């Protein structure tokens, strides 16, 4: 069960132009009767998208790609900036900061790493190669309970 939605991770000060999609990626989307849709390989060939849905724009020319839409959430953070968000009629990529937030890192953690002048491409890779902090904590909590704490001794 989701405790938070994608909207709560977004940085609304993000420069939409800086994180704009390519023309090829935008070709995935179309509007019909005032609603937005993305082309995908399902029975009808498309899926309706709503405000604050995440859409994976990797391989926009693929005719076999499925599972593009995360309803109010992101399916998987990868090492490439291939997740976008739709809201208020715009599409934009998730920023490195938003990827880090989704992985459970604080803004302070992110900004400390930014001080090292790491390129954006590398910031995406760091997030994509990470494991969600809360998930790791939960795994270790369960392991310690199963082990009766002996692993810490």
């Amino acid at each position: 069960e989701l405790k938070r939605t994608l909207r709560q991770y977004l940085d609304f000060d993000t420069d939409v132009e800086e994180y704009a999609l390519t023309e090829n990626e935008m070709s995935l989307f179309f509007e019909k009767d005032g609603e937005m849709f993305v082309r995908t390989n399902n029975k009808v060939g498309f899926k309706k998208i709503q405000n604050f849905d995440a859409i994976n724009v990797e391989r926009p020319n693929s005719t076999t790609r499925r599972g593009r839409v995360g309803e109010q959430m992101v399916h998987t953070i990868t090492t490439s900036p291939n997740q976008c968000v739709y809201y208020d009629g715009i599409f934009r990529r998730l920023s490195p900061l938003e990827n880090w937030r989704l992985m459970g890192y604080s803004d302070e953690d992110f900004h400390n790493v930014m001080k090292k002048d790491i390129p954006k491409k590398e910031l995406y890779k760091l997030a994509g190669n990470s494991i969600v902090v809360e998930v790791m904590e939960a795994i270790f909590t369960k392991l310690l309970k199963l082990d009766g704490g002996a692993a810490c001794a």
Side-chain angles (χ1 to χ4, degrees), residues 53-66:
D53 279 352
I55 304 96
N56 184 310
V57 293
E58 185 176 24
R59 297 182 186 92
N61 298 325
S62 172
T63 57
T64 60
R65 188 84 163 100
R66 300 183 70 171

Side-chain angles (χ1 to χ4, degrees), residues 51-127:
N51 266 341
F52 302 104
D53 279 352
I55 304 96
N56 184 310
V57 293
E58 185 176 24
R59 297 182 186 92
N61 298 325
S62 172
T63 57
T64 60
R65 188 84 163 100
R66 300 183 70 171
R68 287 192 182 275
V69 180
E71 297 172 1
Q72 307 285 308
M73 59 117 178
V74 176
H75 285 294
T76 304
I77 296 294
T78 65
T79 59
S80 300
N82 57 16
Q83 296 285 348
C84 78
V85 62
Y86 170 75
Y87 64 92
D88 298 338
I90 62 163
F91 292 92
R92 69 165 176 82
R93 289 182 199 292
L94 293 178
S95 71
L97 172 60
E98 292 163 332
N99 278 328
W100 279 57
R101 286 177 177 174
L102 287 161
M103 296 305 288
Y105 292 99
S106 70
D107 287 10
E108 182 181 359
D109 292 334
F110 178 80
H111 292 297
N112 284 335
V113 171
M114 284 288 295
K115 291 176 188 175
K116 307 288 184 197
D117 291 325
I118 296 174
K120 281 183 190 166
K121 183 177 179 179
E122 296 303 316
L123 293 170
Y124 281 110
K125 285 183 179 181
L126 287 169

